C-alpha cells in the first residue's frame, strides 16, 4: 500500500467492525522511535529560510523522506525543525 520510502511502510493495516456491520480499515498508530537509536552522519545548522524538504533533498537526496529527520530529532511536527534559527539538526543515513 505504501512505498518503502514512506514512514507508514511497515505499519500494520487493521480492521474494525462496527455494530452496524460496517468494516473500517485503518493504519495502526505509528510511534516516534527514540532518537538515541539513530546513527548520525552529519548535522545541519538551520538558517533563515531553510525548508525541511530542501534540507532533506540536499543531504538524503529525496525531499519526501523528511520524516527521517523528524524521527532523528524527536519532532512530531516537521515545522518544529526549522522554526529556530541556529538549531542543529541531526542527519541520519537512510
Amino acid at each position: 500500500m505504501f512505498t518503502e520510502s514512506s514512514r507508514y511502510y511497515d505499519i500494520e493495516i487493521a480492521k474494525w467492525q462496527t455494530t452496524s456491520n460496517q468494516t473500517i480499515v485503518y493504519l495502526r498508530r505509528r510511534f516516534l522511535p527514540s532518537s538515541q537509536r539513530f546513527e548520525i552522519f552529519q548535522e545541519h545548522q538551520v538558517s533563515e529560510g531553510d525548508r525541511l524538504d530542501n534540507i532533506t533533498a540536499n543531504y538524503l537526496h529525496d525531499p519526501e523522506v523528511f520524516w527521517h529527520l523528524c524521527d532523528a530529532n524527536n519532532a512530531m511536527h516537521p515545522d518544529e525543525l526549522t522554526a529556530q534559527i541556529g538549531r542543529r539538526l541531526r542527519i541520519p543515513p537512510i
Side-chain angles (χ1 to χ4, degrees):
M1 181 175 206
F2 294 98
T3 64
E4 285 187 47
S5 64
S6 171
R7 68 171 47 174
Y8 302 109
Y9 177 71
D10 285 333
I11 304 299
E12 179 186 356
I13 297 173
K15 294 180 182 178
W16 179 63
Q17 197 74 31
T18 67
T19 56
S20 62
N21 216 24
Q22 179 184 10
T23 301
I24 298 174
V25 179
Y26 64 96
L27 290 177
R28 296 260 186 215
R29 187 173 183 182
R30 178 185 184 270
F31 293 95
L32 284 177
S34 169
S35 64
Q36 300 304 314
R37 76 174 187 91
F38 290 92
E39 180 181 332
I40 302 304
F41 80 95
Q42 208 162 2
E43 285 190 343
H44 173 82
Q45 187 168 356
V46 175
S47 300
E48 189 169 342
D50 270 351
R51 291 190 357 217
L52 195 54
D53 59 335
N54 291 336
I55 295 168
T56 308
N58 183 44
Y59 291 100
L60 304 178
H61 310 292
D62 184 348
E64 293 184 1
V65 296
F66 66 90
W67 59 273
H68 285 283
L69 271 69
C70 292
D71 288 353
N73 290 279
N74 288 325
M76 177 69 82
H77 305 285
D79 292 342
E80 298 174 1
L81 295 178
T82 55
Q84 181 182 2
I85 305 304
R87 178 179 179 165
R88 298 195 69 80
L89 298 180
R90 297 161 37 102
I91 311 291
I94 58 171

